[in-house]
Amino acid sequence: MAALTTVLLQVVPLFVVILFLLKLFQILKKRSDLKKVFKDFPGPKPHWLYGNMKEITGDLDGLLRTADYAATYNGVFPVWMGPVDAYLNMVHPSTAKHVLSGSDPKDEFSYALMRPWIGEGLLLAGGRKWDRNRRMLTPAFHMDILKHYVKIFNQSTQVLVKKWRENPGCEEMFHHMSLLTMDSMMKCLFGHHSNCQLETVRPAYIQCVYDVSDLIIKRIMNPLHHYGFIYSMSENGRKFKYACDTIHGHSNMLIEQRRKLLETEKSGSRNVDFLDILLTAKDSDGQGLSDQEIQDEVDTFMFAGHDSTASTLSWCLYNLALHPEYQDLCREEVEREWGDKSELTWDDIHKVSFTFSCIKESQRLFPPVPNVSRCAEKDITLPDGRNIPTGMRMAVSLFALHRNPDVWDNPEEFDPYRFSEENKKTNAGSGNFIPFSMGPRNCIGQAFATTQLKVVVPTVLRNFRLTLDPTRPAEPEAMLILRSKNGLYLNIKAL
Ligand code: HEM
């Protein structure tokens, strides 16, 4: 026994030292491999320990710095996230296009924390599963279906108008726009009338959707919480689990209600929506989606759909408050084109082209999804001959690309005329303007979102004058979507 103990006392430390050396070797090898690749990709000098993490941040300084580097480093530069972790940041259409037009999977590091919430829905799925589900769900966003949503978007916006008319003052935009988009998403996609815009206390489901987004950001910021076991034991980990369970319970309830309805109702008695398609679509082998897949898609679309549209609306109203001359022009256009019409149609919303240019210009300067990321599945050769090896993590900074001075003249200036009929071909050419991303994994909800934007922005402007609150300036911050660190407050004056 004593002999065994002596051997163990000698062997175990030796084993630990060997393991440590192996790990160290692995780390040094990874660092040296990355450095070799990055020889062709000049970029900001990294600190040996924390890399570029202190300069490429999600706050306004970090975002603007990334936009500055876009011009300095020829469309792509490396970002070190520590001593051994790094990715290539694409900030010019010539490089971004190569990443987004391929079928490389999402970068696991960036998206994995969302998996317990939205599962393997379209946003996170890859390979054949993504391909099959994308094909099955695309018909849900056909123009014939979207046309019916104009009425719903209008009704939901009228709830907001009534609320603001009764209580004019200084309001935080993200709060109101999130409730508005949530309300209309649930009606359009799931036929569910939540009345969430009118509740004085947020319904639990909606509170939980808010909470999970915030908790994910908090988790990203805390490296210890990247370890699943440690996170599950923490208070935030427990809150996250509770929120996910509540959301899943709610989506299950919506699915079950619809299943029952489909069994009993006469076909053709109402318009087909997204949930009908989820429950009835079949792939080319005649297979439908499994229960788990249906739930993952419901959760995915709730998240992907409401938050990014709320961000677009909030930043757009902010920009119009910042530029009253354009706000007036939009209002004149809406009055001219819509008169006193209250029942809006598909044709009406396509008449407000200047207002739509303002929406696009706002999406250029404040892209609601500021970054997307991928992992190279095979080697990629850029047009200038530089090679990106298999396994490399890659991001496209939409924020920096949209402000790249090699792409846009006076990029910091808010100028909706960039998107006028005469200019849009040169300015919004392939890959210059990509708030909905591009390529096979672009946003499936683009037309849905655009339809909603074209109803909400003009309707708000024909009812209210918006001005900034100088005491609370907005400050962009890249979270899962682009938010404002201190909220986005505007004064609302009824017309
Ligand atoms: C203005 C509002 C919106 C913006 C700016 C936006 C932007 C984007 C972007 C940039 C992506 C690519 C993400 C990536 O590659 O990681 C994306 C994907 C996606 N979006 Fe949107 N989105 C908006 C609204 C919507 C709406 C309303 C829906 C649903 C009704 C939706 C559903 C999705 C889904 C499911 C994906 C994943 C698509 C796939 O990978 O096949 N989005 N969106």
Side-chain angles (χ1 to χ4, degrees), residues 38-63:
F38 292 161
K39 263 211 309 242
D40 289 339
F41 294 96
K45 199 171 164 10
H47 182 274
W48 71 270
L49 180 63
Y50 47 77
N52 306 105
M53 281 167 74
K54 288 203 171 169
E55 46 189 334
I56 308 293
T57 46
D59 60 9
L60 184 59
D61 284 348
L63 286 166

Side-chain angles (χ1 to χ4, degrees), residues 100 106 111 122-123 130 134 141 185 189 300-301 304-306 308-309 312 363 368-369 371-374 398 434-437 440-446 448-449 453:
L100 299 176
K106 301 279 169 100
Y111 294 87
L122 215 49
L123 189 67
W130 168 79
R134 176 100 188 192
F141 298 95
M185 282 275 305
L189 300 192
T300 294
F301 277 77
H306 98 273
S308 39
T309 314
T312 308
Q363 284 183 319
V369 179
N371 300 294
V372 298
S373 44
R374 300 282 186 274
L398 308 188
I434 49 170
F436 294 97
S437 186
R441 304 242 17 189
N442 71 346
C443 176
I444 194 174
Q446 174 167 357
F448 179 96
L453 298 171

Side-chain angles (χ1 to χ4, degrees), residues 18 41 50 133 190 241 275 317 359 373 381 463 472:
I18 291 174
F41 294 96
Y50 47 77
N133 290 7
F190 312 118
K241 183 173 181 319
L275 195 49
L317 297 179
I359 295 173
S373 44
T381 308
N463 283 284
R472 285 182 279 200

